[in-house]
Amino acid sequence: MNPDNYLDSPENIHLVTRLLELGKSLCGLELGPYLTSLVSAVTELIVCEAASILEVDDDGDQLHFLAAPQIHWEVLKSVKVPVRASIVGWVFQNDQPAVIQNVKEDPRYFKGIDKAINFTTHSMSVVPIAFHGEKIGALAAVNKMGESQFTENDSVILETVASYAAISIMDSHLKTDAQESQTILSQLNRMKSDFIAITSHELRTPLGLILGHATFLRDIIPDNYRSQLDIIIRNAVRLKNIIDNITRMDNAQTGLTSLQIRQISMQTLIEGVMIPFHDEAQQKNISMHFDIGPGDFLVEGDESKISIAFSNLLRNAIKFTNPGGHVAIVLAQLPDYVTVSVIDDGIGIPSKDLPHVFERFYQVESHLTREHAGMGLGLSVAKVMIEMHGGRIWAESTEGKGSNFTFLLPLKSGQISSVNQPPSS
Ligand code: ADP
């Protein structure tokens, strides 16, 4: 074919059109039918008796057929061709084409295929199939028809078709790999959820007993032992919070969490959640203020989930504020939303960590040197709980000065929040 005027004859126009068609259908067909269409196109374009596509086995020693003429497919699909003792194997290994006009004179000729399908091979033109340097297999055209021999033009056509074959084989492998990874991922996810469900159940029962008995004992023992029981109770509650957060996070991820919507007063909710924190704040000499703006603060939502989000923010504010510090809770009403801010003048968060604090297991302090206990789950749980309501949560902070965590909730359930940016404060 003359590259300067390759559309100079009806044959060449047909050839180019056919190759373009094969290129176009590359993404449209499954691997098997597509490769079969390639070998029949090769037979037609090169005018030869047969063509086939072979791929190397995983162990690299043998090649197997991916496509061959329909009449031989049933037999050839299970025939193996040795890489080190065949012409296609040589082409594959050396990543070079080979044109053999008389195979009987070639010591690499492998008789096994002809025997299997009762066929006689005279001549072959074979090109490698490779993708970005990765050897995949070979494309072979067999027995040029009539008196003629395989030409250089035939090799060009074969190389073009081989590049289509390479792309479709790699594409199919990638799809299979992606599906397998997805299956493994789902299995691992299920195992993780089972593990979390079983462990948290097994931990919760003895923990409930410890808390129950410790609380009972605290009320009846002499005053001088009470502080020891307070330590037991405080740490048992801390363990319970960790277990609850892990379970909540997993339930939300696996879709097991649903909302029990009813109308709730945010003011009552906040006051209720604050009660158990008063003692802790007092012990650390931290003052807590609840600041309410004008509004009725009635929200359609799931009380327990909003309480969890708010209590996780409040727990952090007290935890990360030094003795003598202040924590303010501010409830405000916008036209369609309420906002709740938990503001402290504690240790603050470095600006490089701030964008990550809502990620699961993220902690600013290194787990080796940190002073504050925790799993890095409280904020991610709060985020999930608020976003389930169509709300938003965000943090502003200055290291050494303090933090402001705010969440915004729509007043009506099902109302999608159009507020993407934190309202300027
Ligand atoms: P943890 O359970 O470890 O507290 P969180 O998800 O609640 O995990 O918080 C993640 C990290 O964000 C914390 O470890 C802490 O470093 C930082 N953080 C959260 N709230 C505050 C706050 N009010 N002040 C300073 N740092 C905070």
Side-chain angles (χ1 to χ4, degrees), residues 245 312-313 316-317 319-320 344 346-349 357 359 362-365 370 373-380 397 403 405:
N245 272 338
N312 284 357
L313 298 189
N316 280 346
K319 183 158 77 174
F320 295 106
D344 64 62
I347 62 170
I349 302 169
V357 288
E359 290 167 16
Y362 193 87
Q363 291 180 311
V364 173
E365 297 164 275
R370 74 195 147 120
M375 290 272 289
L377 275 177
L379 290 179
S380 49
S397 186
S403 309
F405 283 82

Side-chain angles (χ1 to χ4, degrees), residues 244-253 256-261 299-313 358 377-393 407-410:
D244 286 348
N245 272 338
I246 293 175
T247 317
R248 282 171 197 139
M249 196 67 211
D250 196 58
N251 284 349
Q253 275 191 319
L256 284 177
T257 308
S258 59
L259 292 177
Q260 310 292 322
I261 302 284
V299 164
E300 286 174 6
D302 185 320
E303 188 172 5
S304 71
K305 297 202 171 51
I306 300 173
S307 300
I308 289 164
F310 174 58
S311 69
N312 284 357
L313 298 189
F358 290 99
L377 275 177
L379 290 179
S380 49
V381 168
K383 185 170 164 18
V384 169
M385 302 289 151
I386 295 301
E387 287 181 352
M388 281 180 90
H389 286 82
R392 297 269 180 279
I393 185 166
F407 64 82
L408 168 145
L409 286 172

Side-chain angles (χ1 to χ4, degrees), residues 115-171:
K115 254 193 221 148
I117 55 172
N118 199 16
F119 187 86
T120 308
T121 301
H122 302 292
S123 56
M124 285 175 86
S125 180
V126 189
V127 293
I129 298 176
F131 190 83
H132 285 304
E134 187 181 331
K135 296 177 193 171
I136 300 173
L139 165 63
V142 176
N143 294 352
K144 185 83 179 170
M145 300 290 263
E147 299 299 301
S148 50
Q149 299 199 324
F150 282 116
T151 61
E152 256 183 49
N153 276 355
D154 293 340
S155 298
V156 173
I157 296 170
L158 282 176
E159 273 165 9
T160 310
V161 174
S163 67
Y164 293 158
I167 295 169
S168 67
I169 293 168
M170 286 313 281
D171 181 55

Side-chain angles (χ1 to χ4, degrees), residues 10 80 144 155 164 167 174 199 209 217 223 241 244 379:
K80 298 280 185 176
K144 185 83 179 170
S155 298
Y164 293 158
I167 295 169
L174 286 177
T199 328
L209 288 171
L217 284 175
D223 280 355
N241 277 328
D244 286 348
L379 290 179

Side-chain angles (χ1 to χ4, degrees), residues 84-379:
R84 280 173 200 82
S86 64
I87 294 167
V88 281
W90 184 92
V91 168
F92 160 77
Q93 257 191 326
N94 293 280
D95 200 19
Q96 273 180 44
V99 180
I100 296 109
Q101 305 296 0
N102 184 359
V103 295
K104 302 280 170 336
E105 290 173 1
D106 195 308
R108 298 167 297 182
Y109 169 56
F110 172 67
K111 298 191 184 72
I113 304 169
D114 281 359
K115 254 193 221 148
I117 55 172
N118 199 16
F119 187 86
T120 308
T121 301
H122 302 292
S123 56
M124 285 175 86
S125 180
V126 189
V127 293
I129 298 176
F131 190 83
H132 285 304
E134 187 181 331
K135 296 177 193 171
I136 300 173
L139 165 63
V142 176
N143 294 352
K144 185 83 179 170
M145 300 290 263
E147 299 299 301
S148 50
Q149 299 199 324
F150 282 116
T151 61
E152 256 183 49
N153 276 355
D154 293 340
S155 298
V156 173
I157 296 170
L158 282 176
E159 273 165 9
T160 310
V161 174
S163 67
Y164 293 158
I167 295 169
S168 67
I169 293 168
M170 286 313 281
D171 181 55
S172 159
H173 287 333
L174 286 177
K175 279 185 191 143
T176 312
D177 288 353
Q179 271 162 4
E180 280 170 10
S181 307
Q182 194 56 44
T183 311
I184 293 171
L185 211 61
S186 314
Q187 281 167 348
L188 286 175
N189 224 7
R190 216 172 20 251
M191 281 164 71
K192 178 210 65 179
S193 294
D194 289 350
F195 174 77
I196 289 175
I198 293 166
T199 328
S200 53
H201 177 77
E202 291 302 314
L203 288 174
R204 215 176 260 135
T205 312
L207 205 53
L209 288 171
I210 292 171
L211 265 173
H213 287 274
T215 315
F216 170 74
L217 284 175
R218 189 189 180 280
D219 292 340
I220 58 168
I221 54 162
D223 280 355
N224 51 338
Y225 291 117
R226 211 161 267 172
S227 65
Q228 263 116 329
L229 274 165
D230 280 342
I231 294 173
I232 295 176
I233 293 170
R234 219 177 22 252
N235 282 288
V237 169
R238 192 187 280 176
L239 273 179
K240 188 174 168 303
N241 277 328
I242 291 174
I243 296 166
D244 286 348
N245 272 338
I246 293 175
T247 317
R248 282 171 197 139
M249 196 67 211
D250 196 58
N251 284 349
Q253 275 191 319
T254 47
L256 284 177
T257 308
S258 59
L259 292 177
Q260 310 292 322
I261 302 284
R262 63 184 190 83
Q263 188 151 77
I264 45 179
S265 153
M266 284 303 290
Q267 179 179 347
T268 314
L269 180 149
I270 288 172
E271 283 165 351
V273 172
M274 282 175 71
I275 293 170
F277 288 99
H278 282 298
D279 277 355
E280 205 178 325
Q282 215 172 14
Q283 275 163 18
K284 275 186 85 176
N285 190 24
I286 290 171
S287 72
M288 268 205 304
H289 288 287
F290 182 20
D291 196 349
I292 316 170
D296 57 10
F297 308 108
L298 294 177
V299 164
E300 286 174 6
D302 185 320
E303 188 172 5
S304 71
K305 297 202 171 51
I306 300 173
S307 300
I308 289 164
F310 174 58
S311 69
N312 284 357
L313 298 189
L314 193 52
R315 184 174 301 109
N316 280 346
I318 296 171
K319 183 158 77 174
F320 295 106
T321 298
N322 292 323
H326 306 85
V327 172
I329 295 110
V330 182
L331 176 59
Q333 186 150 346
L334 307 174
D336 293 321
Y337 304 94
V338 290
T339 58
V340 178
S341 300
V342 180
I343 306 162
D344 64 62
D345 56 3
I347 62 170
I349 302 169
S351 51
K352 71 171 176 40
D353 295 297
L354 196 57
H356 305 289
V357 288
F358 290 99
E359 290 167 16
R360 278 184 300 152
F361 303 113
Y362 193 87
Q363 291 180 311
V364 173
E365 297 164 275
S366 150
H367 72 283
L368 297 173
T369 54
R370 74 195 147 120
E371 290 173 23
H372 304 91
M375 290 272 289
L377 275 177
L379 290 179

